[in-house]
Amino acid sequence: MGTRRPLALWSWSRSCRQAPASGSLCQPVRDICRGLRDNAVRLLSLRGCRLCDRDFGRICRALAGATSLAQLNLNLGVVSSPSRIKQLAEALRTNRSIQSLFLHGSPLTDAGLALLNPALALHPALVALDLGDCMLGDEAINLICGLLPPDGAKSGLKELTLSANPGITPKGWSRLAIAVAHSSQVRVLNLDYNPLGDHVAGMLAVAVASSRTLEVLDLEGTGLTNQSAQTLLDMVENYPTALRSLVLAENSISPELQQQICDLLSEGEEEEEVAGGAGDTQEWERGREPAAHQRGSSSWMCPSDPSSQMVLMTSGLGDSLLAETEM
């Protein structure tokens, strides 16, 4: 029996241009498909790539049967049409290994998510989903709530990103808040750059107080004022929660209120660390890939040894593309 190839990190960024469609399958796509079929790829990032429909379909067919792939990054418009959504959905219906799926900046709309949702709902391993800037509305929220099952149901998402979806109304956010309050799984919820306002923030405070698992809530740039900050402060001060991080930057909130909340959360985290209860969360946080905020250096490493553990390309735009998920 031959020696198994080491698991690889594969990232093909927007700075890489594809071979002409009239020619044979370009080498990066050929290598990606081979790596997926050989179960030699754990993390695959096609972030912002200019793939033709033919090659996107080939990659989807290859990832359908991949058993080693844990993280798939299709951010920034890779899933750009209903036909591609259907191809991805078909792949996810067969795949059993993907734990993290990033679709940030894809023009899904509610209709596109409806096509994708059955595969997401039935996927046995998916725990992290990024649907930021996907042009979603309230109908999409109804579907997403189904991915956050209540206690005793199928294991649901642990990390959900819905950044920059201004089409979602307060009615949609209230439904999400109820789902989060009753979900036994969600640890990280990113709602930054949505026009939430104080009313929605009040509903989210109730959800945080009810949740036994929510540890990170990102409300950066969501139109909050001191009114909602005071509600959040009262919640943190008077009710025991699992919350460790609350992001309130770029809101009309006084620095004093923000500091008070930060201090209270820090005190709670220190107490839990002393009690030995922070290990699981630290492992989870080390495994996260922020949807669109981290920055990294531009580089291209392509070892000549074909059995090397890593083939990594990063965008010339300075965005950090990959971080291994430890789950």
Side-chain angles (χ1 to χ4, degrees):
M1 189 173 182
T3 303
R4 182 172 177 176
R5 294 176 57 191
L7 295 182
L9 310 178
W10 240 117
S11 176
W12 191 24
S13 74
R14 67 162 60 195
S15 59
C16 304
R17 294 186 179 273
Q18 192 175 333
S22 59
S24 60
L25 184 64
C26 66
Q27 191 61 42
V29 173
R30 187 190 306 276
D31 291 342
I32 289 170
C33 291
R34 182 185 299 116
L36 290 169
R37 287 193 298 268
D38 293 346
N39 294 313
V41 178
R42 179 168 174 79
L43 309 177
L44 174 61
S45 176
L46 301 175
R47 184 180 189 277
C49 285
R50 299 173 182 176
L51 286 168
C52 70
D53 290 342
R54 176 198 62 180
D55 286 345
F56 181 84
R58 286 171 170 165
I59 290 173
C60 283
R61 289 192 294 273
L63 71 86
T67 59
S68 64
L69 186 65
Q71 185 182 105
L72 178 60
N73 187 329
L74 300 175
N75 285 351
L76 300 184
V78 179
V79 186
S80 56
S81 66
S83 64
R84 291 195 177 193
I85 295 172
K86 292 177 182 178
Q87 288 175 310
L88 177 60
E90 188 64 31
L92 291 174
R93 273 192 284 268
T94 305
N95 179 276
R96 291 293 181 267
S97 65
I98 294 175
Q99 300 172 20
S100 302
L101 176 62
F102 303 127
L103 298 172
H104 202 108
S106 301
L108 297 182
T109 72
D110 290 359
L113 188 62
L115 294 174
L116 194 59
N117 184 70
L120 298 177
L122 294 175
H123 198 286
L126 188 68
V127 293
L129 180 62
D130 185 345
L131 295 174
D133 194 18
C134 286
M135 304 170 64
L136 304 180
D138 288 357
E139 291 183 17
I141 287 293
N142 293 338
L143 299 174
I144 291 166
C145 289
L147 305 177
L148 307 176
D151 296 350
K154 172 183 174 291
S155 177
L157 296 176
K158 294 183 180 179
E159 177 173 351
L160 174 61
T161 295
L162 291 171
S163 314
N165 280 296
I168 301 172
T169 71
K171 181 180 178 180
W173 293 123
S174 66
R175 184 174 176 84
L176 180 68
I178 293 170
V180 169
H182 288 276
S183 171
S184 60
Q185 297 294 323
V186 179
R187 298 185 183 180
V188 179
L189 182 60
N190 299 312
L191 303 179
D192 47 313
Y193 298 105
N194 285 299
L196 303 182
D198 290 333
H199 178 63
V200 173
M203 293 187 289
L204 290 171
V206 175
V208 172
S210 302
S211 172
R212 294 172 297 172
T213 60
L214 188 62
E215 300 172 356
V216 179
L217 178 60
D218 189 347
L219 298 177
E220 179 176 359
T222 51
L224 308 189
T225 70
N226 285 342
Q227 176 184 329
S228 52
Q230 186 63 57
T231 300
L232 292 165
L233 175 62
D234 292 341
M235 181 268 298
V236 172
E237 188 172 20
N238 297 308
Y239 298 92
T241 72
L243 197 66
R244 297 172 181 273
S245 176
L246 178 59
V247 182
L248 296 173
E250 295 191 32
N251 286 297
S252 299
I253 299 173
S254 69
E256 293 78 16
L257 271 175
Q258 292 194 49
Q259 189 61 51
Q260 284 180 274
I261 294 171
C262 181
D263 291 344
L264 286 169
L265 291 175
S266 298
E267 289 174 8
E269 185 173 1
E270 289 172 1
E271 290 173 1
E272 291 188 14
E273 286 180 354
V274 170
D280 291 343
T281 300
Q282 290 171 348
E283 287 299 314
W284 173 261
E285 287 300 300
R286 277 198 292 270
R288 294 189 62 229
E289 180 198 10
H293 304 304
Q294 287 192 0
R295 303 298 180 203
S297 60
S298 173
S299 61
W300 177 17
M301 294 186 294
C302 188
S304 57
D305 180 0
S307 66
S308 175
Q309 287 187 332
M310 181 181 293
V311 181
L312 173 63
M313 299 181 194
T314 61
S315 167
L317 300 179
D319 293 298
S320 175
L321 299 183
L322 289 174
E324 182 164 1
T325 305
E326 302 170 358
M327 299 182 188

